[in-house]
Amino acid sequence: MNQAIIGTTVAILVLATYFSNDFLTAKAATTTPADTNEVVSDSYSSTLATWKAAGLTDVHSDSGMVAPESFVGNTTFALTADNNDYPTFLSTSGLTLEGTGQVLQWDPESGYHDVILLVAVPTTNLYTLALDYYSQTTGIREIEIAVVVNDETQYYEAGQVTLDTFWVASNDFQDDRYGNQIMPNATQQYQWTHAYIQDASRIQERPLTFKLNAGVNTIKIQVNNGLFKLGQVYLGPQVEYSSYQDYLSLNGYLNLVQGGYQTLEAENPALKNTLSIRYSTDREPNVKPFALIESKLNVVDGDTFRKPGQIIYYDAEVAQTGFYHITVKSLQTNVNTRVFRTLTVDGKVPFLEALTIPFNFNRKWQNTTLSDTEGNELAIYLEAGPHRISLGVNASPFRQLHEDIRTVMNGVNSLSLDIKKLTGNSIDENREWDILTYMPNLQNDLVAYSDKVKDVLTRWTAVNATSKASEVSNNLKLAYQMLYQLSEKPNDVPKNISKLSTSSSSVLNKLGVAMPLVIDSPLTLDCIYINGENAALPKATAGFFTRLWISIERFFASFFSSQYSTQSDESELEIWVNRSRQYVNLMQQMVDSQFTPTTGIKVKISIMPNEDKLILATSAGSQPDIAMGVAGWRPYDFAIRNAIYDLTQFSDFKQVASRFYLGSFMQLVYQEGVYGLPETQNFYLMFYRKDIMANLALDIPDTWDDVLDILPELQRYGMNFYSQLSGTNAFKGFTSTMPFITQFGGKIFSDDALHAALDDPHTIEAITFMTDLYTTYNLPLEVGSFYNSFRYGTLPIGIGDFGMYVQLLHAAPEIAGLWDIAPIPGVLKNGVVDRSFDGAATSAMIFKNTGKEAESWDFLKWWTSKEMQLQYSENLISSMGSEYMWNTSNVAAFADMSWDPRHKAVFLDQWQWISDTAKTPASYMLEREISNIWNKVVYNSVNVRTAIEDSTIIVEKEIQRKMSEFGFIDSKGNVLKVYILPTKETIGLWVSVDE
Amino acid sequence: MSEIAQVLKRKKHRWKRDDEITGNLFILPYLVAFLLFIIIPVFMGMLLSLTYFNLLEAPRFVGFSNYIALFTSDDIFMQTVIPNTFKFALFVGPIGYMLGFFLAWLLAQIPSKLRTVLALIIYSPSMTAGVAMAVMWKIIFSGDESGYLNAILLNWNIIEAPIQWLTNPAYLMNIMIIVTLWSSMGIGFLAMLAGVLNINPELYEAAYVDGMSNKFQEIFYITIPSMKPQMLFGAVMSLVATFNAGSIGVMLSGQNPTPQNAGQLIVTHIDDYGFIRFDMGYAAAISVVLLILIYLMSRVAYKLFGDKD
């Protein structure tokens, strides 16, 4: 330990005692969550460049450490001696214990955690930050923290830091009923970890650095998600790795160990730092373990091992000290593209070259001996004894390309916005533009972007060491060619604006497709060999005749496999699910591995392709025990016809119901009973293009009045606002009409539910507003696809649903990061904006004559629990891809999902306003007639009140008919029994525990 | 003589009886299938129409109340559905039928190879699944600027703002008629094509010798009279198809019922009651009415085209 370290440490200790308590409390008071939540948009790379340009450096020798005893800040933490063997961890990791071994423990009950470090540094320079932490988080979301230096989030990444948690799973796989192996459940391994503060996307080559001024600095570590114990915090210069040559000479390299190898099966890791890495089955005969028919988990699936920062750890026992090769049997099918992995041995990167070990494209399994980017095989020094080896995804060689593409995309996008601002949205083919008068730089800009993309392509080719066409290079090539063509005739750019940004073959789209692919690094692993020189490793693929024979065998064996039989057992609980095969298979897997073993209830889940089958099956008496994934309104229709089970019969119903929002039960209620559980949720949200709204200097509307305010400006540029009434479907159902009526405080039923109340003054106000939007304010009457219009910028703002969110997130790369969501506009009442919406998606129901009510209820309870919903959500994403987002109705599970936290906050905000429309036997007629009223007023210019009067007559007739059908009134209209209509205020009586 | 005659007569009788039995045996499979899949369901439907049946609970006998409700209190049925159905049937039926005959006749005039290709092309829309078709038409008639028809009309400055073809009740019915006509060249058309081709060319030659002077006379004096069976078949098929073709409006507008019931036909009305409102008894009553309607119409077709002898 050199002098500088000790010097700084002393200074820190002095500081902590020097400042009085008054100072510290004053400091604490100013650091409320709100003031650090502002979003800093500067990226780390650009900030770093500015710093370096200003002469700051990260190469220096100042370093130091802050022990927990010196932490200051809010009072929600305490130091504890319950330190989970922290001193032992420090000594085994080669770190020094400075304090008493006490560690920081936050109060788990408190909602907000932070800690402040006061550090003094001798010169203004850049410092890395590392910390020791012990995860205490129970959810599956990563630990998220923000680092605020001197009350400032220095760049975007500093506000979004994640700390790894570690997961361990049994490597002894269970079989399902057909002998297929089931993905084991991972549990978190709680352990001390020493980690540098890194960017959340793990694409930077080195840890993040922070600018500290000479003198005293405050560093605040704010916890945004999860909980952990915090040990010492370390400050220091940027990490440097030794070169391979130094590594060899340092360890006295003479020769490689000769011959021999040991095998580590990739699907049996010791540890992984993410749940999303999953195993799957590869049918290649030489991939072990191999099975003819059953699906044995034998590989780490490259589709789930592709995101920078994912790491798998393996334990190996080496018999003889010496230099070894490490060979990975892998499948890398990213066409003509390299992917990189980082090798660590015992938690350390042995040398610089091990950071970025390339794996080249090949359609077949390959034994790849780890080598540097030039192809020279690397030797790794391993002493006899146990070692922990890890392979982690690294995409940092592509970081600069990724950033450059983003820069060009931002530039191109703002260019096209500027042009659109000049020309409006509808381009007249016959009009000649002299665009250069208004935008003299247009031509130069286009040429510069073209050159930049070309340069990116050159570097892409260099990193991949091949000039053969890949998906990325094709897109880049098209993009720069198109940019160049556009630059040749700048005055034609307005006419060809679709080539620049507003179509699916535009420059923006090509770049948007390429950008995420650049850093996408899938690699499927079968096993890892630690081998000596000239070791006789098994061949990666089987010969032609072996494979031929295997496929013949497999074909005949398939006739005798029980996997494809459809017989169901009487003792099994039969569940029909209206979802696609992937959803159902995963559900069955989870049930087989977790529900059946603990409860002894066997469950058979089948796909129900069409919900209408339920009606026919029920009338034929062959209905299942439970139906899931049925439309939210379906249980009501079955309930009033006496076909399904009243869930309030179960004594713990209200406890289970408390998992959901009260408003989600509105249409599941019939008289005293509740007949279904909400399963998934739809959301209506306001989507807006940040770039366009900022460019037009428009505020994001909060109420409908705000919407009306921005309309003239939007329409001036040929843009518009999309409301849910603008869809192509002629029928405007409750989901698109009722939000208006509820927000305006209107109602559609009289209190006894025996009459329509469309003439309620608030309802009339709402309907008038709904129609005025189209007749007076000129909203688009019919939009083929809001998603596309939003991408192309013609409708830069509007109301979309959950499906739209998923689509934008995964299928609109060209506007990634350029859009955001907000709660839907509402109506201001008593100082609160009412944003009520109808959000039921699917629900689950139990059939009346199942005979297995208790088992069915147990199943539903288990399935809708927070843990299962979370697990299902994560499993869906990790096994099928990030677009399989599970919009569960379980509020607590939703809040814990690992989605973008800021978007999730908007979802949760909007969700509070859920208020489905209660049903009555005749409510469908109201739904139709409200749609017809809107249609009549908008298309036939009928007066609103006249239309309402006409419709009321029709609705009243239907209510009489249906109410007498179900015995609520007799043919003369006398009330026989009271219809109980739930309202927002009274729904608690059915489902709330307190009432 | 008389004995021989009697024996012969008896033998003839036996033969006749034997023939009948064999003949009946031959049509037995069809008869069973017809009974099982047509007669019994129709009969059941008639029975159901006398009940209250919500699909989930057992049916309850209610007499003729469904029929009474249908004719006395179902405003939509009497005010919109029946007129709509007749308007639709009137356009699609006769026009489709004439178009079918005209196309068949035109095809008969051209060389056989080309004829086969063209016949297949004209016939194929009727084989295409309704949904796939609706998707195509929905793109053409899409109500925003991106719809083909709107884009063309906007480009030619015929309209100023896009028209909501499928949402606006004023257009929906006409579009339904156009789409149905496009896909109506089905089995009836093929039968008529076969009919035209089957006519002995000598008839035409003879007629020309007798002084026939143009193609019109050819059609009216020879072609139509000599293909009466096919004409009848085509007429009945087109009638049945017309009354049964209801779902197109629902597919195009994306909802049942169609906006302001503009495209509501008997078939969609049945679907609405049967599967959306869970009132199968009432739906059955409507379908019985539809059955009677189709029967009456086909009597008219027989009157027009049937063999008088």
Side-chain angles (χ1 to χ4, degrees), chain B residues 96-146:
Chain B
Y97 180 59
M98 286 188 270
L99 206 62
F101 172 75
F102 183 60
L103 284 174
W105 181 79
L106 279 184
L107 282 183
Q109 313 302 312
I110 58 177
S112 77
K113 272 202 183 125
L114 190 60
R115 181 168 61 223
T116 318
V117 175
L118 281 177
L120 191 67
I121 291 173
I122 296 171
Y123 177 62
S124 58
S126 71
M127 296 190 294
T128 324
V131 179
M133 238 168 60
V135 168
M136 184 192 87
W137 288 103
K138 265 186 144 168
I139 295 169
I140 294 176
F141 290 112
S142 173
D144 57 359
E145 294 87 346
S146 67

Side-chain angles (χ1 to χ4, degrees), chain A residues 586-600:
Chain A
L586 189 61
M587 211 169 149
Q588 180 80 60
Q589 270 180 29
M590 286 174 61
V591 169
D592 284 348
S593 64
Q594 294 174 64
F595 180 69
T596 309
T598 49
T599 57

Side-chain angles (χ1 to χ4, degrees), chain A residues 725 730-742 746-749 756-759 763-764 766-768 770-771 838 917-918 922-938 944 947-948 950-952 954-955, chain B residues 255 257 259-260:
Chain A
L725 288 166
F731 178 59
K732 311 298 176 196
F734 274 159
T735 48
S736 41
T737 54
M738 281 310 284
F740 288 96
I741 295 176
T742 326
K747 55 179 185 172
I748 55 171
F749 298 109
L758 292 173
D759 50 358
T763 311
I764 294 181
I767 294 178
T768 311
M770 277 155 59
T771 52
D838 285 54
T917 305
S923 56
Y924 62 88
M925 209 56 189
L926 264 167
E927 188 170 10
R928 288 175 185 188
E929 284 307 319
I930 294 176
S931 173
N932 279 342
I933 292 170
W934 183 87
N935 195 292
K936 269 187 204 168
V937 176
V938 171
V944 173
I948 288 179
D950 290 351
S951 289
T952 304
I954 300 174
V955 176
Chain B
Q255 72 171 98
Q260 296 186 41

Side-chain angles (χ1 to χ4, degrees), chain A residues 961, chain B residues 45 48-49 66-67 69-71 74 77 81-82 85 265-274 279-293:
Chain A
R961 187 180 135 89
Chain B
L48 268 187
S49 73
N66 283 331
Y67 290 95
L70 178 63
F71 288 112
D74 190 342
F77 182 72
V81 175
I82 291 283
T85 311
L265 306 179
I266 295 185
V267 174
T268 38
H269 203 56
I270 294 174
D271 216 42
D272 181 16
Y273 271 97
D279 202 341
M280 202 40 107
Y282 191 81
I286 310 176
S287 53
V288 169
V289 171
L290 177 64
L291 182 74
I292 294 168
L293 216 61

Side-chain angles (χ1 to χ4, degrees), chain A residues 232-294:
Chain A
Q232 302 174 147
V233 181
Y234 310 79
L235 284 169
Q238 186 54 279
V239 185
E240 289 301 327
Y241 301 100
S242 64
S243 75
Y244 181 53
Q245 290 310 324
D246 291 350
Y247 172 78
L248 292 184
S249 55
L250 193 70
N251 292 303
Y253 178 76
L254 292 171
N255 272 314
L256 281 170
V257 170
Q258 289 297 312
Y261 67 91
Q262 67 163 304
T263 311
L264 308 172
E265 282 296 338
E267 66 277 13
N268 296 338
L271 214 57
K272 47 188 181 179
N273 77 338
T274 164
L275 269 184
S276 58
I277 297 176
R278 294 176 68 87
Y279 318 140
S280 65
T281 308
D282 193 278
R283 297 286 187 195
E284 159 68 42
N286 271 16
V287 171
K288 299 288 185 280
F290 172 78
L292 203 57
I293 289 295
E294 298 86 26

